[in-house]
Amino acid sequence: MADDLREKLRAIIAEVSEVDEIPDATSFKDLGIDSMMAIEIVAEIERTYKLSVPESELTKITNLDSVYELVKAKLPA
């Protein structure tokens, strides 16, 4: 499940940002993903997984690894 979740998140990030390669630990800033795109990515993840990401947690979203950890912690076990 973990690898499947990571790959689904990678696909969402790639689609919203129009960046083909989304490495796990490369910062979104280095990939050219700005704060507006990050908000769009979070909105798509919220819709897809039916969860809520408070504004206070948006600063924690800096790369695929951080998105994965955030979503994994919010999904039911």
Side-chain angles (χ1 to χ4, degrees), residues 11-70:
I12 289 170
I13 295 165
E15 183 177 332
V16 172
S17 68
E18 298 181 358
V19 174
D20 294 334
E21 298 271 331
I22 308 292
D24 291 353
T26 302
S27 79
F28 287 165
K29 184 178 178 183
D30 289 345
L31 295 172
I33 298 173
D34 63 19
S35 59
M36 291 306 294
M37 276 190 235
I39 290 170
E40 289 179 45
I41 289 166
V42 170
E44 185 59 33
I45 290 168
E46 287 177 325
R47 277 192 295 276
T48 301
Y49 292 99
K50 311 280 190 275
L51 44 93
S52 178
V53 178
E55 273 187 56
S56 61
E57 293 185 9
L58 291 178
T59 58
K60 298 177 185 177
I61 298 172
T62 58
N63 58 31
L64 175 60
D65 283 340
S66 63
V67 172
Y68 171 77
E69 291 301 325
L70 181 76

